[in-house]
Amino acid sequence: MSHVDEGGHPPTPTPERFGLRLHRALVEHGPLCVGIDPHRELLETWGLPDTPDGLREFCTVVLDAAAGRCAAVKPQSAFFERHGSAGVAVLEEVLAQARQRGLLTVLDVKRGDIGSTMQGYAEAYLGPGAPLAADALTLSPYLGYEALRPALDLARESGRGAFVLVRTSNPEAADVQSVGRPTVASRVLAGVGRDTLGQAPCGDIGVVVGATVDLADEQLGLAETFAPVLAPGVGAQGADEHDVARSFADVRGRVLVPVSRAVLGAGPAGVGQEVERWADRLATALGRC
């Protein structure tokens, strides 16, 4: 006999946790996450116009190249937003098409605010049925980690996830994130650690930690949490698969490595081959740890 709620309707099934879906994708496809960054110069090198139609064609080729070859894709929202509502409409299509191809999506928006505004961002990117809903999004904690609570809670309720900026790959980050003892980065990581307690093998709330960062110097205890790690900085920013292996050997079952320019620079004819090459390089390096 099936259970029903007080209104006589079947209860809404609890969605599977994002951390479990991510872990399964990592086991099946390895750690590569293809960045989708359709900026003007890149579209020009692809022979495409810097228009919503150009974005659409570019993204279709990238999604086709990524499907079945990597764990996830990471669209950068800014490159769609600059085209206004037509560009955002393309982003909606990209998120839907990625789901159809079996790709997890990490929407790179770096949102962070307080109160009802944070709740609004949460509903926009994590709410069930929201046009811009992704599997996970990036969050900035610099109004305070607990200010992100509306997004963190909705992510868990809706079977989605989030990656919180902890120690990023840009050179300027150390001026803020590495200050103090314990550092700002360590304090944010501690909050994520509390939110992932008991979520083995992989939590729903993750951290952004650059592959260019000297983790020994930073004294970040990533292995002491179940938080998944989004590790930018590979390719154009100078890190490679060996840096990933050295930095993230202890969390290799839950590290997701975005690569964009090094893959997308191959153009429409070569992007599929570059996806395969980087997927193999990263999987091999981490597998040898």
Side-chain angles (χ1 to χ4, degrees):
M1 181 176 178
S2 60
H3 296 284
V4 296
D5 63 20
E6 293 180 358
H9 304 289
T12 302
T14 302
E16 185 179 25
R17 288 203 300 107
F18 168 72
L20 296 178
R21 294 188 289 122
L22 175 60
H23 179 71
R24 187 164 59 245
L26 290 168
V27 169
E28 184 174 356
H29 298 295
L32 177 63
C33 172
V34 174
I36 303 180
D37 298 351
H39 55 79
R40 179 180 293 106
E41 294 79 7
L42 184 57
L43 290 171
E44 289 176 355
T45 65
W46 277 50
L48 295 172
D50 186 22
T51 64
D53 286 339
L55 295 186
R56 184 176 288 108
E57 184 173 347
F58 172 89
C59 293
T60 297
V61 173
V62 175
L63 290 173
D64 285 343
R69 294 186 173 111
C70 64
V73 293
K74 183 174 72 67
Q76 170 49 258
S77 183
F79 295 124
F80 298 86
E81 293 175 31
R82 66 193 182 92
H83 290 278
S85 60
V88 174
V90 175
L91 179 57
E92 290 182 20
E93 295 174 17
V94 169
L95 294 168
Q97 290 174 12
R99 285 192 293 271
Q100 292 168 4
R101 289 166 171 79
L103 290 162
L104 293 178
T105 53
V106 179
L107 183 56
D108 199 350
V109 290
K110 299 182 179 71
R111 298 296 190 244
D113 216 302
I114 62 172
S116 59
T117 306
M118 193 66 243
Q119 182 67 41
Y121 282 137
E123 292 170 0
Y125 301 115
L126 299 167
L132 287 171
D135 291 295
L137 77 161
T138 56
L139 296 173
S140 175
Y142 296 107
L143 289 177
Y145 180 75
E146 282 304 312
L148 302 177
R149 185 55 55 192
L152 302 176
D153 288 347
L154 185 55
R156 178 168 293 184
E157 293 166 11
S158 60
R160 304 183 192 278
F163 288 92
V164 181
L165 305 183
V166 167
R167 182 58 175 89
T168 54
S169 57
N170 57 305
E172 306 88 349
D175 293 341
V176 174
Q177 298 165 4
S178 298
V179 172
R181 284 292 182 268
T183 64
V184 172
S186 295
R187 291 171 184 267
V188 176
L189 177 62
V192 176
R194 290 190 294 271
D195 274 319
T196 58
L197 279 174
Q199 289 192 328
C202 184
D204 301 328
I205 309 303
V207 296
V208 179
V209 175
T212 56
V213 175
D214 185 341
L215 294 186
D217 184 58
E218 295 285 330
Q219 298 181 1
L220 289 176
L222 294 176
E224 298 169 14
T225 76
F226 290 119
V229 179
L230 186 67
V234 170
Q237 292 188 53
D240 61 17
E241 69 272 22
H242 306 296
D243 296 305
V244 171
R246 280 192 294 270
S247 295
F248 303 111
D250 290 342
V251 295
R252 61 182 178 270
R254 46 189 167 88
V255 61
L256 190 61
V257 184
V259 182
S260 54
R261 281 175 280 181
V263 168
L264 304 177
V271 63
Q273 182 177 353
E274 284 302 299
V275 170
E276 289 186 349
R277 190 170 74 88
W278 274 99
D280 181 67
R281 288 173 65 174
L282 290 166
T284 300
L286 282 166
R288 289 174 177 167
C289 295

